[in-house]
């Protein structure tokens, strides 16, 4: 029995350090983002990109699998210095309604994608701009 005490103490310490929402597989709000992970969670990314060094840009498609916690909520993502060509449901190919807010100096722009109730995977075709701060050329 004395050998199990350190193990039990370690487990109790680790459990106390965990965020209850994270331990249940729920997303936690990020104060540095406009995203709403308490409504729609991005669970998987399939990224198909082409690098264009002369124009200092990336172009391609990001295919996202979604976990919908609120079927009425849009998907909200942070974007900065990108041009979006299309956003589509991968299941039906249907173009999805989008809105991009004016750019905020800290957060960038908010991309809102209206999701029909049956959509659980989307494809976003886009191209970055040469001044995109997330890319270091």
């Amino acid at each position: 029995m004395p050998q199990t005490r350190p193990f039990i103490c370690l487990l109790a310490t680790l459990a106390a350090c965990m965020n209850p929402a994270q331990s249940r597989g729920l997303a936690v709000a990020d104060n540095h983002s406009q995203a709403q992970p308490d409504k729609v969670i991005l669970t998987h990314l399939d990224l198909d990109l082409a690098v264009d060094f002369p124009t200092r840009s990336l172009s391609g498609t990001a295919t996202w699998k979604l976990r919908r916690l609120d079927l009425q909520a849009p998907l909200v993502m942070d974007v900065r210095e990108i041009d979006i060509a299309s956003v589509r449901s991968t299941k039906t190919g249907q173009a999805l309604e989008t809105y991009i807010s004016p750019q905020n100096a800290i957060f960038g722009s908010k991309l809102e994608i209206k999701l029909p109730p049956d959509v659980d995977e989307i494809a976003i075709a886009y191209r970055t701009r040469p001044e995109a701060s997330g890319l270091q050329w």
Side-chain angles (χ1 to χ4, degrees):
M1 185 74 149
Q3 292 176 342
T4 60
R5 280 191 190 149
F7 180 69
I8 291 172
C9 289
L10 175 63
L11 285 178
T13 302
L14 291 174
C17 293
M18 291 183 69
N19 181 313
Q22 289 174 321
S23 68
R24 291 190 306 273
L26 301 176
V28 178
D30 180 354
N31 294 332
H32 300 97
S33 174
Q34 300 175 87
Q36 300 173 338
D38 58 327
K39 297 179 180 173
V40 180
I41 299 173
L42 302 171
T43 63
H44 181 80
L45 168 64
D46 183 13
L47 195 56
D48 180 17
L49 290 178
V51 180
D52 187 342
F53 287 102
T55 65
R56 295 179 7 189
S57 66
L58 303 175
S59 61
T61 304
T63 302
W64 290 97
K65 290 189 180 183
L66 315 172
R67 183 168 154 218
R68 312 273 306 274
L69 304 176
D70 179 346
L71 292 177
Q72 304 303 314
L75 171 61
V76 178
M77 304 173 86
D78 297 311
V79 296
R80 184 185 297 268
E81 284 109 10
I82 68 169
D83 297 312
I84 296 178
S86 67
V87 180
R88 299 190 173 280
S89 162
T90 58
K91 190 182 298 182
T92 65
Q94 170 190 5
L96 301 177
E97 186 179 327
T98 61
Y99 167 76
I100 299 178
S101 71
Q103 186 163 308
N104 174 294
I106 296 171
F107 296 117
S109 298
K110 176 168 57 171
L111 169 62
E112 286 189 31
I113 303 169
K114 187 174 181 181
L115 300 170
D118 63 332
V119 171
D120 61 1
E121 186 176 273
I122 62 168
I124 303 172
Y126 68 97
R127 181 179 196 85
T128 64
R129 297 180 194 151
E131 66 272 13
S133 59
L135 302 173
Q136 304 298 310
W137 297 99

